Amino acid sequence: MSSRLDDELSRLVSAGVLRQYQADSIRDAADAEIDAALADPGRRRPPEEPPEPERKQPPAKPPAARTNALVEVLGYIGGALLLGAVALLTLANWGEMGRAARITTGATAAVVLLGVAVVLALLGRRGQLSAALAALGCCVAGFATYVAIEGEAGRVAGVAVALALAAGGLWWLKESSLLVATFGILAVGVLVITADVLTPDTGPAANSAGIAGTGFIVVAFVFAMLGLVRDQVTSWSLAGAAMFSSSICWLVQERGEIMALAVGTAGPAALLVAYGWTRRSAYAVVGCAILLVIWPTALYQLTDNLAGVAIGLVVASGVLLLAVLILTRRHSND
């Protein structure tokens, strides 16, 4: 029993704060605690319970988020309405419109779409909306260029202008909508170059489809490379779409069925390998869709017999199922 505690208890009794029996009880409890501590030095005192933290109320969703979503939707609708108005005006009055009116209509729509996209990008807001408007603006600008120049040179120049704008927007904004626009422009470019540049005006055009098929293989390679630096899923899916387009061209080409089968198998095979690595379902969907269209069509053109198509599909199915079993067994062994 410490003398300090004894003195303090005596002072409290003298002041009338405590009674003597209360002071004796406190003194006895202190002595018992000291004795227990001396008997078991390792005994720990029960920890004090920490005060219960105040529950934070979840922050209320700001009304600005709903406003931003509404503005985004209004931007998409506005861009679509503008493009639709230009298309309707052009189709309804194309014969009556002079060359200056056609150029003014297309150029005005392109400037509005690209101008709004640039302003939104400079403000650093609504990147997806900015890219979508830019994608539409690139295509309209290409059309306006074609109208201004006309003829074969106009088609080539329109594709070049649209492609340059789309490439610049893709480098700046890095959005998937510009990848889709770039694919569409390149597809049109393949057809334009095939028809206007590589196919002679006189003489047979028996190899035109094969030239276009080769061009789409180049487009597929371009998007395969873009997938290394931009949206991989979209880029590689578009590369598969380019291989599908190439297969269709080879099916049109005389005696091009073997090439169609080769291209229509190589593209899906690459996509399915990519699916095995990344588990992105888009690769499997696009790859299987290409196989289901190209293989039956090409086999029917080769054999001109439905039984031959069925046999070819059974062989292809057996190869795929065997590959599944081998890969599954290897995976289980690992």
Side-chain angles (χ1 to χ4, degrees):
M1 175 67 184
S2 64
S3 58
R4 183 177 178 182
L5 178 61
D6 189 45
D7 295 339
E8 187 64 21
L9 290 175
S10 300
R11 187 184 65 80
L12 293 175
V13 170
S14 301
V17 177
L18 294 176
R19 301 198 176 193
Q20 185 62 45
Y21 75 92
Q22 292 174 329
D24 293 337
S25 298
I26 295 174
R27 188 180 293 108
D28 294 338
D31 291 337
E33 183 68 19
I34 293 173
D35 294 337
L38 293 175
D40 185 10
R43 187 171 68 94
R44 299 174 58 186
R45 295 183 179 180
E48 296 182 359
E49 295 184 0
E52 185 177 353
E54 297 181 0
R55 294 183 178 178
K56 295 183 178 179
Q57 295 293 334
K61 189 175 182 180
R66 293 188 292 271
T67 304
N68 291 338
L70 177 61
V71 172
E72 193 98 0
V73 172
L74 291 177
Y76 284 115
I77 295 175
L81 290 177
L82 176 61
L83 189 62
V86 172
L88 289 175
L89 180 63
T90 303
L91 292 175
N93 303 288
W94 185 259
E96 292 77 15
M97 293 173 66
R99 185 166 178 269
R102 295 174 183 177
I103 296 174
T104 302
T105 302
T108 301
V111 168
V112 171
L113 291 170
L114 292 175
V116 174
V118 169
V119 170
L120 290 176
L122 291 175
L123 293 176
R125 298 178 181 179
R126 311 187 207 290
Q128 291 183 349
L129 175 59
S130 175
L133 295 177
L136 295 176
C138 293
C139 298
V140 176
F143 173 75
T145 304
Y146 158 68
V147 172
I149 300 177
E150 295 184 341
E152 296 178 1
R155 287 190 287 270
V156 174
V159 170
V161 169
L163 184 59
L165 291 172
L170 183 61
W171 172 79
W172 184 20
L173 300 175
K174 304 177 180 63
E175 292 289 344
S176 299
S177 55
L178 283 162
L179 281 170
V180 178
T182 303
F183 174 78
I185 295 168
L186 284 175
V188 174
V190 168
L191 300 179
V192 167
I193 292 174
T194 299
D196 295 335
V197 178
L198 300 179
T199 301
D201 294 333
T202 59
N207 295 325
S208 296
I211 294 172
T214 304
F216 279 110
I217 293 176
V218 174
V219 173
F221 176 78
V222 170
F223 276 90
M225 295 298 101
L226 279 176
L228 301 177
V229 294
R230 289 293 181 264
D231 183 356
Q232 187 180 89
V233 176
T234 303
S235 297
W236 286 4
S237 298
L238 291 173
M243 295 294 279
F244 174 73
S245 302
S246 176
S247 300
I248 296 297
C249 292
W250 284 108
L251 286 176
V252 176
Q253 174 68 32
E254 186 179 356
R255 294 186 298 275
E257 293 84 0
I258 298 298
M259 190 63 182
L261 277 176
V263 175
T265 303
L271 288 174
L272 293 176
V273 170
Y275 171 74
W277 285 344
T278 63
R279 297 297 178 183
R280 300 284 188 175
S281 58
Y283 300 148
V285 172
V286 175
C288 291
I290 297 172
L291 287 174
L292 290 174
V293 173
I294 297 302
W295 269 76
T297 307
L299 288 175
Y300 183 75
Q301 288 190 197
L302 278 172
T303 62
D304 198 18
N305 189 337
L306 291 178
V309 175
I311 293 173
L313 293 179
V314 168
V315 172
S317 173
V319 172
L320 291 174
L321 293 177
L322 180 62
V324 169
L325 292 176
I326 294 174
L327 292 175
T328 304
R329 183 176 179 182
R330 180 177 299 177
H331 179 72
S332 62
N333 290 336
D334 294 341

